[in-house]
Each structure stands twice: as structure tokens, then as C-alpha cells.
Amino acid sequence: STYNGLGLAYYHKSDYEQAIKYFILGLDLAEQTSSDNAKVNFYNNIGLVYHDINDLDKAMHYYQLSFETGKKINNTKAIARG
């Protein structure tokens, strides 16, 4: 999605505030459209940002959401990351 691409672009530039902004916008859209695969991806990417800024509690929270959602839909990539 466009939001994921923008989030990743900012993430790779270490502009974590903007990365989170776009990942959250994408997550909101994924929730509105009930796209569990997209939610898995956004949860994981948000976790990566929080991990990089050393907010490990928030990182773990989003990684756990990614894992649980992935497990629910049998997304083996998300389960393997978990």
C-alpha cells in the first residue's frame, strides 16, 4: 500500500515519527477494510520502529499483535517472525 511504502521510506531515513504516522494511517485503513494480512504487516513495521528507538515495551506489543493476527489467519511469515 502507499502508506506502507511511505512509512518504509521514512523508516529507512530514520525519520521515525513520520514512519509511525504513515504506518498508523495504513493500519487504520486495514482495520476499516478488515484486511488482516495488511494489519500483520503494519503491526510488524510499527514494532520495528519502536524497537529502533528503544521503546521495547511498545515494540513487543506490536510484534505480539502481528504474531497473534498472523496466527489467526495462518500467515506463516508472521508466525515465523513471532
Side-chain angles (χ1 to χ4, degrees):
S1 82
T2 302
Y3 289 131
N4 194 50
L6 287 167
L8 287 171
Y10 283 111
Y11 173 77
H12 290 297
K13 290 173 57 175
S14 299
D15 187 342
Y16 299 121
E17 187 175 321
Q18 288 297 311
I20 287 284
K21 173 184 164 184
Y22 285 104
F23 290 145
I24 294 292
L25 285 169
L27 179 59
D28 289 345
L29 183 60
E31 288 173 343
Q32 291 172 21
T33 60
S34 300
S35 177
D36 286 334
N37 277 315
K39 285 193 274 189
V40 166
N41 196 37
F42 284 114
Y43 287 143
N44 187 69
N45 288 345
I46 294 167
L48 289 172
V49 173
Y50 282 122
H51 181 266
D52 281 11
I53 61 173
N54 208 31
D55 191 336
L56 301 182
D57 288 337
K58 282 187 181 177
M60 185 54 114
H61 171 74
Y62 282 99
Y63 288 148
Q64 189 66 33
L65 288 171
S66 178
F67 173 75
E68 291 299 329
T69 305
K71 202 165 113 176
K72 181 176 90 174
I73 60 171
N74 201 29
N75 180 323
T76 54
K77 184 177 176 185
I79 295 169
R81 282 192 302 240

